[in-house]
């Protein structure tokens, strides 16, 4: 069974508010070091095993590059490459993988799989995305906000679209970093009740997208149909018809408001091309910061 002193990162709430801010601050430092060409290898000879049941561009490249820059190594495991894909119990895989690697990262569908992996792993487990939450993305998003505008405490953030895993992690971030989160979603696409109960003091849910954008400091959206929901694409397009982030919506927010999207984006669906490619968009900085934020996370879990 797991040793009690192992820290996992399955949701943002595995961190305290102070630790969340510490990781953001460290990510900014590590980014500067890397830009300056400084060689820093705190994870020399350390191995990260990356279990992918859901495909990914940013998650794979950021973790793999991060381990390489830190002097360590990352192993990419797709369902085709592991016994997990052939039905080996997760607890068996967890015991074996954690006996050979120093950290596990999992990107999968059911959140329970990540939890079970952590339960039986003797090394830290990082959630690279589940159907419930996407905590690594929030580390990058918050790093980006702090770099551009300073601390987010007391600010207003507007989530537009599906009450999905990204929305859930934004809800956790609102509670930890103490910002107000307006959630604008079509009826029937609200976040899960358990997340609402957990964060109710910091969130407001509405189907009035314009009202939600008023005086906002950050507008965030995501694809309308997440991985595994492609068959719902047509019905979702109708439900989300008035939830595209446009220049008109950006104009309702504060003049220095930022726009974020975890990517991949569908221009002309959840966001107009002129917003995502416009001057208020920080999506490329946000994407790059997955690398720096996750390096700070790896250092936090494996060195501290």
């Amino acid at each position: 069974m797991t040793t009690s002193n192992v820290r996992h990162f399955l949701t943002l709430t595995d961190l305290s508010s102070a630790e969340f801010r510490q990781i953001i601050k460290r990510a900014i430092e590590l980014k500067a070091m890397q830009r300056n060409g400084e060689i820093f290898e705190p994870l020399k000879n350390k191995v990260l095993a990356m279990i992918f049941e859901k495909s990914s561009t940013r998650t794979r490249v950021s973790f793999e590059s991060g381990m390489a820059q830190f002097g360590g190594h990352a192993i990419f495991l797709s369902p085709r490459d592991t016994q997990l894909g052939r039905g080996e119990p997760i607890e068996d895989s967890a015991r074996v993988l954690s006996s050979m690697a120093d950290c596990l990262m999992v990107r999968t569908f059911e959140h329970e799989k990540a939890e079970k992996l952590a339960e039986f792993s003797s090394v830290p487990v990082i959630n690279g995305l589940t159907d419930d939450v996407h905590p690594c993305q929030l580390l990058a998003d918050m790093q980006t906000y702090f770099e551009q505008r300073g601390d987010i405490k007391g600010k207003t953030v507007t989530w537009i679209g599906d009450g999905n895993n990204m929305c859930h992690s934004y809800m956790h971030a609102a509670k930890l970093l103490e910002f107000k989160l307006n959630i604008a979603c079509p009826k029937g696409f609200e976040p899960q009740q358990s997340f609402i109960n957990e964060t109710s003091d910091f969130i407001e849910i509405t189907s009035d997208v314009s009202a939600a954008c008023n005086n906002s400091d950050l507008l965030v959206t995501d694809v309308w149909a997440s991985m595994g929901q492609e068959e719902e694409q047509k019905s979702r397009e109708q439900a989300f018809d008035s939830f595209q982030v446009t220049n008109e919506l950006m104009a309702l927010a504060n003049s220095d408001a930022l726009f974020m999207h975890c990517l991949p984006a569908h221009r002309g669906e959840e966001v107009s091309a002129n917003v995502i490619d416009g001057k208020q968009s920080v999506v490329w900085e946000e994407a790059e910061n997955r690398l720096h934020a996750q390096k700070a996370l790896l250092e936090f879990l494996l060195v501290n």
Side-chain angles (χ1 to χ4, degrees), residues 57-226:
T57 303
R58 280 152 289 275
T59 298
R60 178 178 179 181
V61 175
S62 55
F63 272 111
E64 214 161 304
S65 298
M67 283 303 288
Q69 290 172 13
F70 265 178
H73 183 72
I75 303 169
F76 172 75
L77 301 166
S78 78
R80 291 187 301 280
D81 305 321
T82 58
Q83 297 297 338
L84 256 181
R86 292 203 230 7
E88 177 172 39
I90 290 172
E91 38 275 59
D92 294 4
S93 292
R95 289 181 178 109
V96 172
L97 287 170
S98 65
S99 73
M100 300 183 195
D102 301 282
C103 187
L104 309 181
M105 191 285 299
V106 62
R107 184 177 169 95
T108 187
F109 294 88
E110 306 83 1
H111 189 72
E112 295 70 39
K113 278 192 182 174
E115 291 176 332
K116 181 136 281 199
L117 199 64
E119 188 186 338
F120 290 90
S121 170
S122 56
V123 300
V125 173
I126 294 171
N127 176 1
L129 174 138
T130 61
D131 285 347
D132 280 6
V133 286
H134 194 359
C136 285
Q137 183 66 52
L138 262 287
L139 297 179
D141 285 20
M142 292 300 103
Q143 178 192 344
T144 309
Y145 191 90
F146 276 58
E147 285 175 337
Q148 302 279 336
R149 298 287 185 263
D151 203 307
I152 201 164
K153 184 175 179 172
K155 301 289 188 187
T156 300
V157 177
T158 304
W159 174 266
I160 300 159
D162 193 12
N164 62 9
N165 50 5
M166 273 297 295
C167 180
H168 292 154
S169 282
Y170 259 94
M171 293 161 79
H172 280 161
K175 183 178 177 178
L176 282 166
L177 299 179
E178 297 173 69
F179 58 82
K180 178 174 191 257
L181 180 65
N182 295 329
I183 300 168
C185 47
K187 293 213 184 325
F189 293 92
E190 294 87 0
Q192 289 175 27
Q193 192 60 47
S194 59
F195 289 91
I196 295 172
N197 297 345
E198 228 181 310
T199 59
S200 54
D201 291 348
F202 298 90
I203 64 167
E204 200 168 309
I205 300 174
T206 177
S207 53
D208 183 343
V209 69
S210 298
C213 294
N214 271 324
N215 303 318
S216 182
D217 300 292
L218 169 63
L219 270 57
V220 195
T221 192
D222 192 7
V223 295
W224 290 339
S226 296

